[in-house]
Amino acid sequence: MSGDQYLNFNSDLQYIKGIGPRRAAALAAEEINSMYDLLYNFPRRYLDRSTVCRIVDLNTTYQDLEVTVIGKVLSGELVRRGNRAFYQLLITDGSGTVKCTWFNGIRYIQKVFETGDLVAISGKPEFRYGIQFVHPDYDKLDQEEYSGQNTGRIIPLYSSSAEMKNKGLDTRGLRRIMAKIFQEYTLQVPEILPAELLEQYKILPVDEALRQIHFPDDNNQLLRARTRFKFEELFYLQLIMAVKAKGIKSIHKKFRYDGAGEKLRKIYEKLPFDLTSAQKKVIKEIWNDMKKPVVMNRLLQGDVGSGKTVVALLVSSIAISSGFQAALMAPTEILARQHFKTLQELGRPAGIKVSLLIGGQRKKERDEILQEIESGESHLIVGTHALIQDNVVMDRLALVIIDEQHRFGVEQRGKIIKKGMNPDVLVMTATPIPRTMSMTVFGDMDVSIIDEYPQGRGKVTTRIVQKSDIESIYDYTRKQIKAGGQAYIVYPLIEKSKKMDLQAAVEGFQYLSQKVFPEFSLALVHGGMKSQEKDEVMNRFKAGAVQILVSTTVIEVGVDNPNATMMIIENAERFGLTQIHQLRGRIGRGGKDGICVLVERNSSQKSGFRMEILTNTTNGFEISEEDLKLRGPGELYGTKQSGFPKMKIADVIEDKKIMLLARSEARKLIDEDTHLRRKHNQPVREHLLKYYSEYLEFLEIL
């Protein structure tokens, strides 16, 4: 029964029963600062009898499955074997016993459990030394919460950091606090979804949904509560996109183009190849946007090698013909240099002056380039984030092209746009984006797609091999090089272990050059090298002086050697599917067929399934859709970088139907009430401004 004390979204957490200042500080460290944050800190999962497996029923069919067992701690001990130590629990549920083993964090784990504790253990069971869970997730339970008789109870389990656990805010502590909130206080929280949507779709009101998601009466009520908050989360995400789209379309340009211009015609006539019909189609779409009085905000998708750079040049020539400047910002120096060389060569017939601005240039050279840019002598400026520095002045900037936008932060993108005269914006990506993600991360943009390859590309075949087959792959590579081809051998680079992976590439280079291919010229390139060093290696490779290029993923974008026909990707199981697809786009570019070999060093059923996708299709959109399912939107598209709120409960793949409905209703609402000024939309407007303002670049329209 609720008490006489009231709580709202703004209530100070330290005054809530069971919290206090010390625990409030621990919660704040996890970005839980208010009652709203606490109520929306949803359980990560739930326990009921349908989710629990008896120990006696565990067998090898569960080997790769996540399971939960509940039992009491019989014993816990620190075990030493030689130089190795680990901590081991023995747990029983009455039907049998199971071991839980931790090799890391032993000092902490030793303090967590006591004999007789009731615990829920979750993980994938292993069967090599009896039945055991290695580094499982765990939750301590209260006996009265989970008794043999209380079979209908659904228990919420909350995520908890080590610091929170030290302050008594493990899943049990959080559960007790949440129970007090619903039992001893009256919640006064505003409804933040439009009333007509609640009625039309039979959506649970917010106060009831909060109660049911934390302490559900049954599985049906839990489903209704989760559905409500998934819809709410996706509805506000789509509101952000709708507001941004409206905001952009309300910005008028401070200039007007005179027409397509003579420079476009001159470049087009001198191209050493024919444009594909897809390239012509997207150029027309972009030009139609550029003619409008409001700014363009368009996404250009095109697979590796589909010809986006020449499209960028042709649309830039339209701005340049009218006396304006264009800028192309790339995420890496390698890619910026590659764009610079291509644009300089293709733009020469039209007299287009292309400048390159990157880090590490000599002061005299840099000062000259900055002067050319400021004076307008430079027509097309290509660079990295060096373009957004304060001393770069582009008073005539009418067109901004951003390559691989997801590699830049929102602030970086905003800075280059502000250098122009309310410029048109074209974003390019070689990462094919599934429709689901286009409607979320890029939902505020119009989309053009180059879905056709230029003539003259070779066919690339992809093969999976195990480490036992590597010698035969080396023999095949040897034959390819003797026949005049060139090869890449790529090592992984994972953010969390750069030093380890870099060393692997260095050691790999030494082994390959000394033991495997001593008769050939090999070179090494990686992200830790200076730009000049990387350029020198790349140029030697392109010129044929280097026959095998050993590298990290630094060659993923921007490297073009038409003679390369062979690629070996080491530890392929550590790469994302889209990343491998990008890498293999480096071969077969000169008309000859190529082969991409994926070497699995630590294969598993999951990695085998992932790799097979790459052998079955070269369609980038199909691959990215699968990658999205496997890895999630945050990791795949750098959603934090893209100004994309972190999803607490919704999944843009699994909840696609809910997202489509949320998108439709959000757009309808903004179309009917662009500024959300009508009285019945005030709660929505206030919530959007309070909790999502950091993702809104065009707040003035609200």
Side-chain angles (χ1 to χ4, degrees):
M1 195 73 175
S2 297
D4 294 326
Q5 293 175 287
Y6 297 94
L7 294 175
N8 58 43
F9 280 162
N10 300 317
S11 296
D12 193 331
L13 292 183
Q14 66 176 315
Y15 300 114
I16 305 299
K17 292 178 183 178
I19 297 183
R22 288 176 68 250
R23 286 182 170 179
L27 289 168
E30 299 302 313
E31 299 183 356
I32 301 175
N33 298 294
S34 66
M35 180 53 61
Y36 172 79
D37 296 331
L38 187 60
L39 289 170
Y40 276 72
N41 179 45
F42 301 132
R44 72 181 192 279
R45 62 189 182 89
Y46 302 82
L47 279 181
D48 65 14
R49 288 299 183 189
S50 66
T51 66
V52 177
C53 181
R54 294 195 310 158
I55 293 174
V56 72
D57 294 328
L58 288 176
N59 56 56
T60 53
T61 59
Y62 290 94
Q63 183 110 20
D64 293 315
L65 299 176
E66 191 87 17
V67 297
T68 298
V69 298
I70 292 178
K72 287 188 176 180
V73 176
L74 288 177
S75 63
E77 64 173 332
L78 180 65
V79 181
R80 295 188 185 277
R81 288 182 185 164
N83 295 326
R84 200 174 195 191
F86 55 90
Y87 189 73
Q88 199 161 66
L89 284 185
L90 186 64
I91 291 171
T92 182
D93 66 354
S95 74
T97 59
V98 67
K99 293 176 183 176
C100 299
T101 305
W102 287 268
F103 295 98
N104 301 320
I106 295 173
R107 292 172 65 183
Y108 173 76
I109 289 290
Q110 280 182 284
K111 300 174 185 177
V112 171
F113 302 101
E114 294 182 7
T115 301
D117 280 349
L118 184 65
V119 294
I121 296 293
S122 301
K124 295 178 181 179
E126 297 183 3
F127 298 89
R128 285 179 293 176
Y129 308 104
I131 305 173
Q132 70 169 336
F133 292 87
V134 178
H135 287 280
D137 289 333
Y138 61 88
D139 293 281
K140 294 172 75 172
L141 305 175
D142 288 324
Q143 187 66 50
E144 63 270 20
E145 285 184 313
Y146 196 91
S147 64
Q149 291 75 37
N150 195 1
T151 57
R153 183 81 180 274
I154 300 175
I155 301 174
L157 301 177
Y158 297 90
S159 296
S160 184
S161 67
E163 182 59 27
M164 287 170 66
K165 288 173 181 173
N166 285 335
K167 297 293 191 296
L169 292 171
D170 59 4
T171 193
R172 283 192 304 179
L174 286 169
R175 194 161 52 242
R176 288 177 187 141
I177 290 168
M178 299 309 297
K180 284 181 180 177
I181 287 172
F182 288 104
Q183 291 167 5
E184 301 181 26
Y185 294 88
T186 297
L187 287 181
Q188 291 184 328
V189 294
E191 180 52 71
I192 53 177
L193 288 178
E196 58 269 27
L197 294 185
L198 296 181
E199 184 178 346
Q200 183 177 355
Y201 299 112
K202 304 294 186 286
I203 297 173
L204 277 181
V206 64
D207 50 358
E208 179 61 15
L210 284 168
R211 180 182 297 277
Q212 292 297 338
I213 202 164
H214 287 284
F215 297 100
D217 292 337
D218 53 46
N219 281 311
N220 181 57
Q221 289 298 90
L222 175 58
L223 176 62
R224 290 191 68 196
R226 285 177 60 80
T227 301
R228 183 242 149 78
F229 289 114
K230 286 180 178 185
F231 178 83
E232 179 186 309
E233 189 168 59
L234 293 168
F235 179 73
Y236 275 89
L237 168 64
Q238 292 301 329
L239 275 180
I240 291 169
M241 295 302 167
V243 168
K244 288 171 80 170
K246 280 278 185 182
I248 292 165
K249 286 180 168 56
S250 69
I251 299 174
H252 281 70
K253 298 172 185 173
K254 299 176 182 177
F255 58 89
R256 186 169 63 85
Y257 302 110
D258 297 330
E262 189 67 14
K263 293 186 184 297
L264 185 144
R265 185 186 62 80
K266 286 181 178 178
I267 294 170
Y268 179 74
E269 288 177 350
K270 294 292 185 180
L271 285 176
F273 47 79
D274 293 328
L275 293 181
T276 63
S277 57
Q279 286 173 309
K280 293 175 182 176
K281 174 175 67 72
V282 301
I283 290 170
K284 186 176 180 180
E285 290 170 350
I286 295 167
W287 173 225
N288 284 338
D289 273 2
M290 292 173 74
K291 288 187 285 188
K292 294 175 182 175
V294 295
V295 299
M296 171 176 69
N297 190 38
R298 185 167 285 275
L299 170 68
L300 174 59
Q301 294 186 60
D303 218 336
V304 178
S306 61
K308 297 181 297 300
T309 307
V310 69
V311 170
L313 174 62
L314 288 167
V315 298
S316 295
S317 72
I318 297 173
I320 294 164
S321 288
S322 294
F324 303 118
Q325 291 173 308
L328 192 158
M329 187 164 73
T332 66
E333 290 188 6
I334 288 177
L335 184 54
R337 286 179 182 274
Q338 183 69 45
H339 281 319
F340 170 68
K341 290 172 185 174
T342 303
L343 295 169
Q344 190 178 45
E345 185 178 336
L346 296 178
R348 192 172 288 118
I352 290 178
K353 167 76 171 174
V354 186
S355 295
L356 177 67
L357 193 64
I358 56 176
Q361 291 172 314
R362 291 195 182 97
K363 186 178 186 301
K364 183 180 179 183
E365 178 189 13
R366 185 179 183 79
D367 288 345
E368 287 176 1
I369 293 169
L370 290 173
Q371 179 58 40
E372 290 171 354
I373 293 170
E374 187 171 359
S375 67
E377 184 183 342
S378 289
H379 304 130
L380 176 54
I381 304 99
V382 179
T384 57
H385 58 275
L387 292 177
I388 65 177
Q389 293 174 353
D390 292 340
N391 61 349
V392 181
V393 179
M394 296 180 273
D395 286 338
R396 301 286 292 166
L397 182 62
L399 175 64
V400 170
I401 302 171
I402 303 173
D403 201 7
E404 299 296 346
Q405 166 174 272
H406 62 279
R407 299 191 181 205
F408 293 102
V410 174
E411 188 178 348
Q412 290 173 312
R413 299 195 299 267
K415 279 186 176 179
I416 190 167
I417 291 169
K418 286 175 183 174
K419 287 184 178 290
M421 310 175 292
N422 289 355
D424 287 319
V425 178
L426 178 67
V427 172
M428 303 196 302
T429 180
T431 304
I433 303 164
R435 184 168 176 263
T436 311
M437 286 301 293
S438 290
M439 290 186 293
T440 50
V441 179
F442 301 102
D444 58 323
M445 309 183 86
D446 298 307
V447 180
S448 291
I449 299 174
I450 303 178
D451 53 6
E452 183 182 0
Y453 281 112
Q455 293 292 320
R457 280 190 66 98
K459 178 184 176 183
V460 176
T461 303
T462 302
R463 285 183 55 198
I464 304 168
V465 302
Q466 304 304 311
K467 55 187 176 183
S468 57
D469 300 318
I470 195 66
E471 291 302 327
S472 63
I473 296 304
Y474 289 156
D475 286 340
Y476 182 83
T477 305
R478 206 170 277 113
K479 291 174 185 175
Q480 290 284 300
I481 294 171
K482 286 180 179 178
Q486 289 172 278
Y488 297 95
I489 300 179
V490 186
Y491 286 83
L493 183 63
I494 308 297
E495 286 297 322
K496 292 180 182 176
S497 52
K498 282 184 177 180
K499 290 182 180 177
M500 180 188 75
D501 286 318
L502 183 57
Q503 188 60 32
V506 172
E507 289 176 358
F509 168 69
Q510 292 172 346
Y511 171 72
L512 291 167
S513 56
Q514 295 170 15
K515 303 290 186 182
V516 183
F517 301 112
E519 70 271 40
F520 300 129
S521 173
L522 280 72
L524 173 68
V525 65
H526 56 75
M529 296 168 64
K530 292 181 179 178
S531 299
Q532 191 174 347
E533 293 176 303
K534 284 187 282 191
D535 285 343
E536 185 181 333
V537 172
M538 297 294 189
N539 289 334
R540 286 173 56 219
F541 181 58
K542 193 168 182 179
V546 170
Q547 293 155 311
I548 300 175
L549 185 65
V550 181
S551 77
T552 58
T553 53
V554 70
I555 63 153
E556 184 181 345
V557 291
V559 178
D560 187 11
N561 182 358
N563 193 49
T565 57
M566 182 82 190
M567 177 174 285
I568 300 172
I569 300 179
E570 278 283 359
N571 290 106
E573 71 279 356
R574 294 177 65 182
F575 291 83
L577 300 184
T578 303
Q579 192 174 35
I580 292 178
H581 181 62
Q582 294 268 55
L583 285 166
R584 70 180 176 184
R586 301 297 113 206
I587 57 176
R589 298 170 77 91
K592 298 177 184 176
D593 291 344
I595 181 166
C596 177
V597 178
L598 310 178
V599 183
E600 282 191 299
R601 294 275 177 181
N602 296 289
S603 59
S604 66
Q605 185 177 354
K606 183 178 179 181
S607 69
F609 169 75
R610 291 171 62 247
M611 296 300 104
E612 281 181 19
I613 293 167
L614 292 159
T615 65
N616 294 331
T617 182
T618 56
N619 184 306
F621 289 95
E622 291 178 14
I623 291 166
S624 63
E625 188 80 55
E626 292 296 331
D627 214 2
L628 183 60
K629 291 175 185 175
L630 291 166
R631 301 173 68 201
E635 185 180 350
L636 187 57
Y637 291 101
T639 48
K640 190 173 182 180
Q641 287 279 82
S642 303
F644 181 86
K646 183 180 178 182
M647 298 282 98
K648 292 181 179 178
I649 191 169
D651 184 302
V652 295
I653 298 297
E654 292 183 5
D655 303 318
K656 185 175 180 179
K657 288 184 179 178
I658 299 175
M659 191 196 69
L660 290 171
L661 177 63
R663 184 173 190 260
S664 172
E665 293 297 340
R667 295 205 163 203
K668 190 189 301 181
L669 181 63
I670 295 300
D671 285 343
E672 292 172 355
D673 185 11
T674 299
H675 306 284
L676 295 175
R677 296 290 186 184
R678 295 176 187 171
K679 186 176 180 180
H680 62 278
N681 288 329
Q682 282 297 298
V684 175
R685 182 178 187 276
E686 289 169 9
H687 190 76
L688 190 65
L689 289 173
K690 183 168 185 178
Y691 294 104
Y692 294 95
S693 61
E694 65 181 293
Y695 304 107
L696 289 165
E697 297 170 32
F698 300 97
L699 280 171
E700 59 268 21
I701 82 161
L702 294 179

